[in-house]
Amino acid sequence: MYILTVTYPTSPDATFDFDYFRSKHLPKVGEAYKPFGLGYAAVVRGEESVGGGEPAYYAISILSFQTEPGARDAVASKAGKALAKDVRNFTSVTPVMQFNSAVS
């Protein structure tokens, strides 16, 4: 299992349209990445920091692939690049994408 995380950091004056993200972008993620071995996917929405302040992230996506090459190929694919362009339709922040290996 190989994991791609996509985090959307909060920042002053930034925008994030959760309705578009949930109803339009996330289905596109499934369609684009499934051919590359996307299995499990989870998304969490930031609510507040432990101390009660603003959350560090609007949302965090956790995408699990069968293999490392599958995850890397998904991001580099034509469909993956189209997903990157779609980001501007729901947020003004730049997402942070990171490849990860499972610890346990």
Side-chain angles (χ1 to χ4, degrees):
M1 175 173 44
Y2 202 71
I3 299 166
L4 170 65
T5 52
V6 185
T7 58
Y8 298 90
T10 57
S11 65
D13 301 320
T15 59
F16 196 100
D17 181 346
F18 279 100
D19 289 332
Y20 184 96
F21 179 67
R22 185 180 55 251
S23 66
K24 305 269 195 250
H25 186 74
L26 292 179
K28 291 177 186 180
V29 171
E31 292 171 12
Y33 288 172
K34 190 165 182 100
F36 296 93
L38 176 65
Y40 174 82
V43 177
V44 295
R45 179 178 180 164
E47 292 186 4
E48 69 179 77
S49 69
V50 173
E54 292 295 316
Y57 302 100
Y58 289 110
I60 301 170
S61 300
I62 304 159
L63 308 171
S64 176
F65 289 82
Q66 294 172 355
T67 66
E68 178 182 348
R72 292 180 182 278
D73 290 347
V75 172
S77 71
K78 182 178 178 180
K81 290 177 183 171
L83 283 176
K85 289 182 182 177
D86 187 52
V87 168
R88 64 179 164 231
N89 291 319
F90 62 89
T91 187
S92 60
V93 301
T94 301
V96 177
M97 298 178 73
Q98 178 174 301
F99 292 114
N100 308 274
S101 56
V103 175
S104 64

